[in-house]
Amino acid sequence: AKLETTAPCGTLVPSAMVRLRRAIALAFVLLAKAFLAFADGLAENATEEQKKTYAETTNVTANSEEDFAAFLSALAMHTCATLACLALFTGLQPKFPKVYRNNILTGEVPEPTTPGFFAWARASYNLTTEAAAKSAGLDSALMLEFCNLCMRISFVLAVPLVLLLCPLHLVYGGDKAGDDTLSYIDMGNVEDKHPWLYYVHAATV
């Protein structure tokens, strides 16, 4: 079927919209190519001091082969410390209720409906911002809401990063990391001037 050549005032016919979209896409491509050409020209004319990377200028070193073992050691230590603190709190709060459960004793918050050793965890998870503001104050409630917002943002960002970029770094990065196991899934494993992976990063951002 033929497209109509006329349209109400202020609207575009479908064929005109398609041409406009193609023109905008072409403009973006030409702009990107011009920027890359300009950047290459600056790199060719730069002095040796200007060619230093930010890491070289600030004496920051990349990950090494031993860093993965250090990462696992730190992860194990912090995990044990966290579990120890949780176990200590869980064991002490029934014995010192005025310290750990005073709001329940004064009636400011209700008793957890589900009894058990970890009843406090379920009650904390189900706590609303309004209830936190009533019992602990507005500042504490907003702090909890801010933490919840940060966790939601981190989860949304982690989906494309972990499911898309990390496997691409590992499989198609070019093995720039070498023996650095810790950098296999990050930008440290992507070779310089990779033909297409940097464009994937730009599109993801």
Side-chain angles (χ1 to χ4, degrees):
K2 294 184 178 180
L3 296 176
E4 295 183 3
T5 57
T6 61
C9 182
T11 61
L12 293 174
V13 296
S15 58
M17 294 185 64
V18 171
R19 289 196 296 269
L20 177 61
R21 291 171 183 169
R22 290 176 179 175
I24 294 175
L26 180 60
F28 274 110
V29 171
L30 294 176
L31 183 62
K33 289 184 176 181
F35 177 78
L36 291 177
F38 176 74
D40 290 338
L42 290 179
E44 292 177 358
N45 298 326
T47 63
E48 292 298 326
E49 183 67 23
Q50 292 173 334
K51 288 182 179 180
K52 286 185 177 181
T53 63
Y54 184 78
E56 293 172 343
T57 305
T58 55
N59 293 324
V60 176
T61 59
N63 294 331
S64 62
E65 183 180 355
E66 295 80 11
D67 288 340
F68 185 69
F71 167 75
L72 293 180
S73 176
L75 180 63
M77 182 182 66
H78 285 84
T79 302
C80 293
T82 301
L83 294 177
C85 290
L86 290 176
L88 187 64
F89 169 76
T90 304
L92 290 179
Q93 58 98 12
K95 297 182 179 180
F96 301 95
K98 289 187 177 181
V99 177
Y100 298 104
R101 307 179 64 182
N102 189 59
N103 287 340
I104 296 178
L105 297 179
T106 57
E108 295 185 20
V109 295
E111 184 81 20
T113 56
T114 305
F117 197 64
F118 292 102
W120 62 269
R122 288 188 289 270
S124 300
Y125 181 79
N126 296 324
L127 181 68
T128 62
T129 304
E130 292 76 11
K134 183 179 179 181
S135 60
L138 184 60
D139 289 344
S140 300
L142 290 179
M143 182 64 184
L144 292 174
E145 188 64 22
F146 175 73
C147 292
N148 290 333
L149 174 63
C150 292
M151 287 189 290
R152 288 194 292 268
I153 293 175
S154 299
F155 176 78
V156 172
L157 293 178
V159 171
L161 292 178
V162 175
L163 299 182
L164 175 63
L165 295 183
C166 288
L168 291 178
H169 295 159
L170 179 63
V171 180
Y172 300 104
D175 199 24
K176 181 182 176 182
D179 295 330
D180 177 17
T181 310
L182 194 60
S183 299
Y184 281 174
I185 61 173
D186 63 23
M187 284 292 293
N189 198 42
V190 181
E191 61 183 358
D192 297 336
K193 297 183 178 180
H194 194 282
W196 55 269
L197 194 50
Y198 289 101
Y199 294 101
V200 177
H201 271 268
T204 304
V205 172

